[in-house]
Amino acid sequence: MTRQRIIVLGAGVSGLTTAVTMALAGCDVVIHAAEGPAQTTSALAAAIWHPFYQAPDFVYLERARQTYATMLRLSSDRSSGVLMRPLTEYFRRDAGVPWWAECANDLKRLPETDVPSRFACAYRMAVPVAATATYLRYLLNMFFELGGRFVQRRVDDPVSLLDDADHVVNCCGYGSRQFGDAELALSRAIVLRARRDAAVRGCFIDDSDPAAPTYVVERDDDIVLGGTADPELTSTVIGERQIEDIVRRCTQLCEGVAALQVVDARTGFRPMRRVARVACDERHPRLLHNYGHGGGGFTLSWGCANDVLRLAGVAPKN
């Protein structure tokens, strides 16, 4: 039986996960990307499983559920860079259990005595967290072990590659704007990295302010502090006042942050779209799209990759 020939564009978390998923299903897969995984936006992410900025949505929920289940399995392999961490999320309004909490393990509501007065409630649960450099390298190595190939090149027109493959999958994130998607927008994120310290254990989130999501993420090799969501700002300049504001907000969530040594401040650019585009192209059915996840690239990665597999008409191997 002839193997389907697949070209995946992009080597961020969406591209790598899609490529691995299709290779696991028996496809002959080649990644075309202008940059390696370490140079992508994904490499700058906090890489915590969490539905940031997201209203209740059943499609999103199913993709997030599949991703959680896969990353939970990967967490048993230390070389993956994925670990399960306790996440404490604080809410300004008590709307009950988070709509996505059915995906997570060990959910419990914190007693009122453990919740700062400015919040209405808090929940704690176990979620996957990835050390991005380790995890992206793990995915790339898995892809190579499955027989995948990597071609470093910039693609200006994905349609031109259809003669060389049964399907081309566009996972180029904001780069897809040059392919004609005017719905894509940028959201700049400022993220700080701090040295690991016993003063911070676990992860903490307050995303009640869409312009200033606040999160503390303990990873295997560092602690990530964030952040910002600045629409359409493209400057990479980070002011001292912005760093101080992020540290201040994070310290309000976890007092131990005050003891941390910040070693790095970086900007990344989230590809924002009203709805992530995981679909066949309207004009070219063999061109598939998987991008526009905003802050949910890691949260949705495996679920979206499974949807792409179905769009290509490929049955997953048991």
Side-chain angles (χ1 to χ4, degrees), residues 148 180 262:
V262 175

Side-chain angles (χ1 to χ4, degrees), residues 157-198:
D157 179 12
V159 175
S160 66
L161 298 176
L162 288 172
D163 290 339
D164 301 322
D166 296 298
H167 288 92
V168 174
V169 189
N170 168 27
C171 301
C172 289
Y174 188 71
S176 301
R177 191 175 174 90
Q178 69 173 333
F179 304 149
D181 189 346
E183 289 189 39
L184 266 175
L186 278 181
S187 176
R188 185 185 69 170
I190 296 176
V191 178
L192 312 181
R193 282 195 319 115
R195 296 191 192 283
R196 283 183 55 83
D197 191 293

Side-chain angles (χ1 to χ4, degrees), residues 14 60 63 271-273 276-278 290-297 300 304:
S14 295
Y60 189 108
R63 291 169 176 167
M272 305 299 291
R273 206 172 182 276
R277 191 181 186 191
V278 183
N290 179 14
Y291 66 85
H293 309 98
L300 300 173
C304 287

Side-chain angles (χ1 to χ4, degrees), residues 54-74:
Q54 181 62 41
D57 179 286
F58 286 115
V59 174
Y60 189 108
L61 183 68
E62 181 55 32
R63 291 169 176 167
R65 188 199 327 273
Q66 292 176 28
T67 303
Y68 186 103
T70 301
M71 294 188 76
L72 176 60
R73 289 197 298 272
L74 291 177

Side-chain angles (χ1 to χ4, degrees), residues 202-309:
C203 306
F204 306 84
I205 288 177
D206 167 22
D207 71 348
S208 56
D209 183 351
T214 304
Y215 48 90
V216 179
V217 179
E218 180 197 8
R219 304 197 300 194
D220 197 30
D221 52 356
D222 59 13
I223 295 172
V224 176
L225 309 177
T228 64
D230 305 316
E232 295 300 335
L233 287 184
T234 57
S235 171
T236 57
V237 176
I238 303 173
E240 192 62 36
R241 186 171 297 179
Q242 292 167 309
I243 294 175
E244 291 172 356
D245 178 64
I246 291 172
V247 172
R248 177 188 59 81
R249 287 189 278 119
C250 289
T251 302
Q252 290 177 339
L253 288 187
C254 173
E255 292 181 357
V257 169
L260 298 182
Q261 179 185 359
V262 175
V263 296
D264 195 11
R266 300 182 183 180
T267 54
F269 298 94
R270 304 181 185 97
M272 305 299 291
R273 206 172 182 276
R274 186 178 58 83
V275 177
R277 191 181 186 191
V278 183
C280 296
D281 190 84
E282 294 83 355
R283 297 177 59 189
H284 305 279
R286 292 191 295 115
L287 172 60
L288 311 179
H289 298 285
N290 179 14
Y291 66 85
H293 309 98
F298 282 85
T299 304
L300 300 173
S301 54
W302 290 99
C304 287
N306 289 334
D307 282 349
V308 169
L309 199 65

